[in-house]
């Protein structure tokens, strides 16, 4: 089964930018109830979607104090446990981050390692790509960051 995920967060000065569990040096960071890791949020939605288990809003309500400033990698570990409890395992994950700056290429492998470790996958099964929005739209104006993810999950 395949699942798809998408997430957006607003960017603002004085906030931290965390993507794929890696803290990046950036003029702008995400405004969010959690750590605002759009990549990990999109991946969690893809994993939950593959098994028709709803979305992260259902599993981690942002009205809950428990998830304030939450580390998205630990949320991802929770999602992995949910998948395992369903008698399923992750085959692979592919994703794309859309962000104008900073350049993400030097950090991609660190993000892949963080995510692979969190869900017990070989790093080769975790793909992360990055693109800008060619200065177009909200990403192009540096008002936000977006991420798309797809995951294949297999029932045992
Ligand atoms: Mg989010």
């Amino acid at each position: 089964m395949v699942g798809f995920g998408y997430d957006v967060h607003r960017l603002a000065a004085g906030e931290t930018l965390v993507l794929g569990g890696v803290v990046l040096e950036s003029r702008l960071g995400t405004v969010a109830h959690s750590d605002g890791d759009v990549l990990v949020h999109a991946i969690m939605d893809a994993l939950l979607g593959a098994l028709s288990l709803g979305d992260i809003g259902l599993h981690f309500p942002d009205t809950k104090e428990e998830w304030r400033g939450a580390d998205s990698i630990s949320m991802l570990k929770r999602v992995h446990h949910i998948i395992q409890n369903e008698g399923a395992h992750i085959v692979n994950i592919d994703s794309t981050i859309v962000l104008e700056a900073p350049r993400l290429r030097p950090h991609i492998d660190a993000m892949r390692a963080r995510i692979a470790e969190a869900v017990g996958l070989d790093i080769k099964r975790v793909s992360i790509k990055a693109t800008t929005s060619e200065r177009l739209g909200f990403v192009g104006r540096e008002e936000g960051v977006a991420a798309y993810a797809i995951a294949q999950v297999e029932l045992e």
Side-chain angles (χ1 to χ4, degrees):
M1 271 106 62
V2 291
F4 172 75
Y6 171 70
D7 195 29
V8 169
H9 278 287
R10 234 161 12 92
L11 290 172
E15 302 282 349
T16 309
L17 182 64
V18 183
L19 290 171
V22 175
V23 181
L24 300 165
E25 267 197 44
S26 174
R27 190 171 53 82
L28 304 171
T30 49
V31 181
H33 186 79
S34 68
D35 63 7
D37 192 330
V38 280
L39 175 62
V40 174
H41 293 180
I43 287 170
M44 288 191 284
D45 267 359
L47 293 170
L48 292 168
L51 295 176
S52 304
L53 292 173
D55 57 29
I56 54 171
L58 182 74
H59 293 268
F60 308 98
D62 63 8
T63 47
K64 262 200 174 169
E65 209 44 45
E66 189 184 351
W67 304 116
R68 177 172 297 280
D71 167 18
S72 295
I73 290 287
S74 57
M75 291 160 72
L76 177 60
K77 288 179 182 167
R78 287 268 289 250
V79 169
H80 183 226
H81 288 136
I82 293 169
I83 301 283
Q84 287 179 312
N85 287 340
E86 292 289 318
H89 66 270
I90 304 164
V91 177
N92 75 304
I93 294 165
D94 185 22
S95 60
T96 300
I97 305 165
V98 195
L99 177 68
E100 214 57 40
R103 280 183 54 78
L104 298 178
R105 169 99 25 235
H107 310 288
I108 293 285
D109 283 347
M111 296 178 198
R112 291 173 67 210
R114 285 280 277 155
I115 289 161
E117 199 256 311
V119 297
L121 276 183
D122 189 291
I123 193 167
K124 285 185 188 138
R125 290 174 181 267
V126 180
S127 163
I128 302 172
K129 307 178 304 294
T131 185
T132 71
S133 189
E134 293 279 331
R135 296 262 149 216
L136 296 168
F138 71 88
V139 171
R141 292 188 297 271
E142 296 191 72
E143 291 167 3
V145 52
Y148 301 83
I150 188 165
Q152 186 170 352
V153 175
E154 216 164 62
L155 280 168
E156 266 129 40

